[in-house]
Amino acid sequence: MLDFFLWRLLRGYAEFRASGGFAARFLNLCDAMRLHVWDLQFEGGDVCGRVSCRDYRRLRLAAGKAGMRLRCTGKRGLPFFLRRSRARWGLAVGAAVCAGLAVFLSGFLWSVETGDVGAVNEQALRAAAAQIGLYPGAKKPSMNGEDLAVALRRQMDGALSWAAVNVRGCRAVLEAREAAALQTLPDPAFGAPCDLVADFDGLLLQLEVHSGEKKNAVGNGVKTGDLLISGTRLDREGKPHYYEARGVVTALHEDARTMETPSALQLERVVAVRRVPVLHLWHLSLPLGVFPRGGTCTACTRTESAVLHGVTLPFSLEWRTRCYWAACEAEAAPLAFDSFVLALNERYRATRVLSGEVSAATADGVLTLTQRSRVIDFMGVKRPVAARKGAASD
Amino acid sequence: MKHLWNRRLRVLQRVDEAAAIAAPRVELSADKQAVVEGCGGVLCCGETLVRLSCGPLVLELAGSALCLNHLSDSRVCVSGSLTALRFVSA
């Protein structure tokens, strides 16, 4: 459809109005004479339509045969435009200069952009690209993308495992991946000598020794600080050797958590949001509105820059937004309960909870949330052997 | 006998083909556009009514702001707000 429209514009067409006579006969004659007419409309007995320049003379003949009076109401298209603009030679020169400039400038890179570069430093990548001749304003590279990518990798001196340079029109898009770093394995050496001791009171349910000497048994009740696995082992001659005690210990215990918070919270709520656009033209900033004065507020800005084919133009619209706040009072219980439950979930992520209850009490404007539960939890905290030795010597 | 039967059948087939060629074919795009193929000519045209000759039938297209977008050999494209499409025996 658009092709038809452009073709008609290029060829030129006339708008006509045929009045009087026999409209139907006129149309049939047009059809019979194979005249190219379109957009025929009927206005109070008149026929209005469009016809190509070439067929207009023959259309007059058809109108005469049908007893209609034909009038040309308009001329459209390139031939008529050129005829009208014959005296305005500056227009043609301007168009030619513009076309020449476009052709000339399309031989240069207008922008160099970075696409998906992973963890590669963009500045370093751009600097390396500039070294191989990829920078805004440079002539379009004669090399193909593959050679450019190889050159870029060489320039980055092995820092890239993969690179691609895609020249799309007047833009060059760089994509790269960093070279994989050599993985360093963890040091296989053992850790510092230590014992494993109980970090809370409880009943031992599991005691599995990976390194060291077992010093307690399943079913025993232990208190905080009791030795579970010892990192000291005596040889046949009674000489002590120190290791890092390691193992898995689980114990049943009663756990209690409390959280205190003021029963009423002082909150702030948004009472108004105002947005003011600011127009930036080169270095000139024109605010297109004002903010109301007073009140506490927070501000944020969002800038919409005009970008043409990847090149940022020197004008933009900045939206300055201010949120005005006002103090208000709210009940703390729901919020406190939510945060308390979240904290409990975090605490018991690796714990099996057998039973539990949460209670709340308010006294003197303080809300106290208490949780008591019966849990099976991992037990054991490392205590350096040196500390035990020091304690023994004391 | 068989030969006679085949000849009659061929004649009937030719009649059917001829009827199919002469029969108008109308394609509607909602109530905005109608493309008529196999049209013999325009009998009457106006803002609200367009009558087209389609062999033994006359096709009437009624509506408002009707416009003949295209007019060529046996093909007419009518656009506008169509309200009725009717075949009338000539």
Side-chain angles (χ1 to χ4, degrees), chain A residues 194-197 209 211-216 227-233 241-246 385 388:
Chain A
C194 65
D195 296 330
L196 203 65
V197 297
V209 180
S211 162
E213 199 169 330
K214 189 193 278 190
K215 288 292 180 185
N216 229 313
L227 191 60
L228 300 171
I229 301 171
S230 172
T232 310
R233 189 177 286 168
H241 292 273
Y242 300 107
Y243 303 92
E244 181 196 11
R246 285 184 296 180
V385 173
R388 187 161 62 88

Side-chain angles (χ1 to χ4, degrees), chain A residues 114-126 156 159-162 174-181:
Chain A
T114 48
D116 185 8
V117 294
V120 179
N121 186 355
E122 286 192 19
Q123 298 295 331
L125 191 67
R126 279 174 188 272
M156 288 290 281
L160 303 179
S161 62
W162 170 84
L174 310 175
E175 293 182 355
R177 279 280 177 280
E178 73 279 10

Side-chain angles (χ1 to χ4, degrees), chain A residues 138-285:
Chain A
K139 274 194 82 172
K140 264 191 192 176
S142 54
M143 286 191 286
N144 62 17
E146 213 167 301
D147 295 341
L148 284 169
V150 170
L152 187 64
R153 285 180 61 190
R154 276 188 193 148
Q155 196 65 36
M156 288 290 281
D157 202 16
L160 303 179
S161 62
W162 170 84
V165 178
N166 300 313
V167 179
R168 297 170 186 154
C170 294
R171 294 188 306 151
V173 181
L174 310 175
E175 293 182 355
R177 279 280 177 280
E178 73 279 10
L182 287 173
Q183 287 190 342
T184 51
L185 295 170
D187 191 359
F190 282 103
C194 65
D195 296 330
L196 203 65
V197 297
D199 52 342
F200 53 80
D201 300 350
L203 180 70
L204 286 180
L205 297 178
Q206 183 190 6
L207 183 56
E208 188 181 315
V209 180
H210 294 164
S211 162
E213 199 169 330
K214 189 193 278 190
K215 288 292 180 185
N216 229 313
V218 172
N220 288 357
V222 290
K223 287 189 172 181
T224 307
D226 282 358
L227 191 60
L228 300 171
I229 301 171
S230 172
T232 310
R233 189 177 286 168
L234 299 174
D235 60 9
R236 287 179 187 171
E237 296 170 359
K239 193 179 174 184
H241 292 273
Y242 300 107
Y243 303 92
E244 181 196 11
R246 285 184 296 180
V248 177
V249 185
T250 55
L252 174 71
H253 76 116
E254 300 275 343
D255 193 36
R257 306 264 155 187
T258 56
M259 188 177 87
E260 288 185 350
T261 179
S263 58
L265 288 177
Q266 290 295 324
L267 297 177
E268 289 180 327
R269 66 185 175 87
V270 177
V271 290
V273 177
R274 293 278 182 275
R275 287 207 312 167
V276 169
V278 179
L279 187 65
H280 293 283
L281 296 169
W282 283 271
H283 296 291
L284 191 68
S285 298

Side-chain angles (χ1 to χ4, degrees), chain A residues 282-342:
Chain A
W282 283 271
H283 296 291
L284 191 68
S285 298
L286 299 170
L288 306 176
V290 288
F291 286 110
R293 289 186 177 182
T296 54
C297 65
T298 53
C300 62
T301 60
R302 183 169 62 86
T303 305
E304 293 172 359
S305 301
V307 177
L308 181 69
H309 293 296
V311 178
T312 307
L313 300 178
F315 47 87
S316 60
L317 192 66
E318 181 186 347
W319 289 96
R320 290 182 182 168
T321 309
R322 280 189 189 177
C323 291
Y324 292 86
W325 305 88
C328 68
E329 203 167 83
E331 201 180 343
L335 203 63
F337 188 78
D338 283 351
S339 60
F340 188 55
V341 168
L342 278 175

